[in-house]
Amino acid sequence: MSILELESTLNRYEAALTALEKTDNKPSPEAILRVLIARNVVHEKFADITHISKDKLIKLIELDSRLKKQAGLITQTVQLADLRTSFHPPKEYWWWFLQAPTHRLDYLDWLWNALTVTSLTASVSLVVDISSRFLSTSPGFIGSFAVISQSTLTLLTAGGILTKAGRRGIEDILSRLGIKKYLWEEVKLGLSGVLLLSLIGFRGSLPLISDCFNKWGFDKYNKGDWSSAQSDYERALSLNPDNAEAHYNLGHLYEALQELDKARTQYRLAVQGGLDAAYNELGRLYIQDKKYSQAVSLLLTGLDNLEENDLQNKLLKTEDIKTKNETQYALFKNLGWARLKQGRYADAETHLRDAIELDKTFKKTPAAAHCLLAQVIENKPEKDPDNALAEWKVCLRYHTDIGNPDEDIWVGMARERIDAQVGVKDKTSESTK
């Protein structure tokens, strides 16, 4: 081989390297491949010549030094490992095994990798928690979408960061986006962090989603679709076990289905959640079970909580005031009922008259308090039949809750008392004649 051929080979290597240097840090894979192949040819030519002049060796050293300076750009643009798979260069062809120079940020890659793994582990834990909540009952469309989307997103992110193929794909994308290689680990940490934050946000929104299911269940219950309502209530509780309103509504549904043990359980859970109306419903069931002392304790606690909440929330909306008054009425009424059953007639009358005083806040007068007050007046030592009869008439006049078995009994008693009084008047009228 002639010296001219060697010179020509070096010039082609130099030309390919110069073209690579002039690409403004955006070389094409073809330009890089030309440099590597040109260096192969130089290596082969030098191996065929026994005596090489000093100036040629110096030029080759200079060109190789320039090539090594482009190591970062080359490794960022192409995957040399893929090229080695295609061309199978021997180990002594060092230019096929170039490594990017270590950036100062790369020294912290171990920390970013550890944080990335930690973030992904936390994300997987959140996905398992969220999925288990949706899958604890029939998931439905919303539940299925939430589980599939969260799981898919997590698997894609984890696979892209932790698996070899995934890392290669992400790194290829980062390279195409022009992101420096020394920032790749930081970007991966950012991706895992975004995933974790999104899952934390979704996990934090479960109480809001639970409230939506509870509202849908309440609407379906009012429309008579009790089966769907029960499913919605149970889904609401699977998403947020502390949803006191959902416990209360489910207890009301169970009571309508005459599953009283389940109703009591749900009311107790609602009481633990501090729901005022739940104190009343559970206390009423205690009265029906003849557990009067427990009922009184519960109802008094409900009234205390209601007053405390009223002091804390001085600016209530009109609808909230109505709900508060209705709950307070029910608590006073049931407290009077419990005292009546205990034979404490003075206390019973006080509570029932407090309940009746709240009648003024309703568009129509509830009958139950009047029915119970009539019984209290009848049982007091000092008899007042005229006042008792007046209460029985109010009880009968405003009776509307035909589904309430207790009120139905009281209305029957009212009819008996009124009919008896009419009979007495008729006999008196006949005797007068």
Side-chain angles (χ1 to χ4, degrees), residues 336-398:
W337 184 14
R339 290 307 192 190
L340 168 63
K341 292 297 184 179
Q342 288 180 321
R344 296 176 58 172
Y345 302 120
D347 291 338
E349 183 174 0
T350 299
H351 297 312
L352 290 171
R353 292 197 182 281
D354 287 338
I356 291 171
E357 185 64 25
L358 287 168
D359 285 358
K360 299 174 183 179
T361 65
F362 304 132
K363 291 183 178 179
K364 52 186 179 180
T365 302
H370 293 278
C371 301
L372 290 167
L373 182 57
Q375 297 175 58
V376 170
I377 295 173
E378 285 185 345
N379 285 278
K380 289 173 62 177
E382 57 277 12
K383 303 300 181 182
D384 189 355
D386 291 338
N387 196 5
L389 184 62
E391 295 296 336
W392 281 123
K393 289 180 178 179
V394 176
C395 168
L396 187 60
R397 184 186 311 141
Y398 293 108

Side-chain angles (χ1 to χ4, degrees), residues 1 25 91 119 138 155 174 181 186 195 279 310 312 321 333 357 363 365-366 411 430:
M1 178 179 292
N25 293 328
K91 292 288 182 66
S119 178
S138 178
L155 288 174
L174 296 178
K181 187 175 181 180
E186 287 84 342
L195 172 64
Y279 287 91
D310 195 23
Q312 293 176 355
I321 293 176
K333 182 263 294 182
E357 185 64 25
K363 291 183 178 179
T365 302
V411 168
E430 289 178 1

Side-chain angles (χ1 to χ4, degrees), residues 149-380:
S149 60
Q150 300 288 324
S151 301
T152 301
L153 183 61
T154 303
L155 288 174
L156 287 176
T157 305
I161 294 177
L162 299 179
T163 66
K164 183 177 181 180
R167 286 198 304 271
R168 185 175 300 175
I170 287 182
E171 290 171 357
D172 183 59
I173 294 174
L174 296 178
S175 177
R176 292 177 184 276
L177 293 175
I179 298 175
K180 302 297 184 182
K181 187 175 181 180
Y182 58 80
L183 295 175
W184 286 1
E185 300 306 321
E186 287 84 342
V187 172
K188 293 176 186 178
L189 174 60
L191 291 174
S192 64
V194 169
L195 172 64
L196 179 59
L197 290 176
S198 67
L199 290 172
I200 291 174
F202 187 75
R203 175 65 178 79
S205 69
L206 290 184
L208 295 177
I209 301 175
S210 173
D211 290 339
C212 289
F213 275 105
N214 178 54
K215 182 179 181 301
W216 296 334
F218 185 75
D219 293 340
K220 291 174 182 177
Y221 176 83
N222 288 333
K223 293 176 181 178
D225 187 3
W226 290 6
S227 178
S228 297
Q230 181 175 347
S231 296
D232 284 341
Y233 291 149
E234 290 173 349
R235 171 56 48 74
L237 292 172
S238 68
L239 297 178
N240 179 21
D242 297 327
N243 191 330
E245 288 190 8
H247 282 297
Y248 175 82
N249 289 334
L250 184 57
H252 197 266
L253 186 149
Y254 280 139
E255 188 175 357
L257 294 172
Q258 293 300 304
E259 298 184 37
L260 298 184
D261 288 338
K262 292 183 178 179
R264 292 186 191 92
T265 299
Q266 294 302 320
Y267 286 146
R268 288 191 190 98
L269 293 171
V271 164
Q272 292 174 9
L275 190 65
D276 298 322
Y279 287 91
N280 174 68
E281 300 300 336
L282 186 56
R284 179 176 52 79
L285 291 181
Y286 277 147
I287 295 173
Q288 292 176 351
D289 293 339
K290 300 182 179 180
K291 298 178 179 179
Y292 306 125
S293 298
Q294 293 94 318
V296 168
S297 176
L298 197 65
L299 294 168
L300 287 173
T301 302
L303 284 169
D304 290 341
N305 289 346
L306 194 64
E307 292 177 3
E308 183 179 346
N309 293 337
D310 195 23
L311 292 174
Q312 293 176 355
N313 302 295
K314 295 182 179 180
L315 299 177
L316 293 176
K317 299 179 181 178
T318 302
E319 187 64 27
D320 294 333
I321 293 176
K322 179 183 176 183
T323 301
K324 175 252 181 184
N325 288 341
E326 289 176 348
T327 301
Q328 192 172 24
Y329 165 85
L331 287 166
F332 276 128
K333 182 263 294 182
N334 286 327
L335 188 55
W337 184 14
R339 290 307 192 190
L340 168 63
K341 292 297 184 179
Q342 288 180 321
R344 296 176 58 172
Y345 302 120
D347 291 338
E349 183 174 0
T350 299
H351 297 312
L352 290 171
R353 292 197 182 281
D354 287 338
I356 291 171
E357 185 64 25
L358 287 168
D359 285 358
K360 299 174 183 179
T361 65
F362 304 132
K363 291 183 178 179
K364 52 186 179 180
T365 302
H370 293 278
C371 301
L372 290 167
L373 182 57
Q375 297 175 58
V376 170
I377 295 173
E378 285 185 345
N379 285 278
K380 289 173 62 177

Side-chain angles (χ1 to χ4, degrees), residues 20 32 36 67 70-80 98:
L20 177 64
I32 294 173
L36 298 178
L67 176 59
Q70 300 300 318
L73 184 61
I74 291 173
T75 55
Q76 183 176 335
T77 304
V78 298
Q79 293 289 340
L80 288 178
L98 288 172

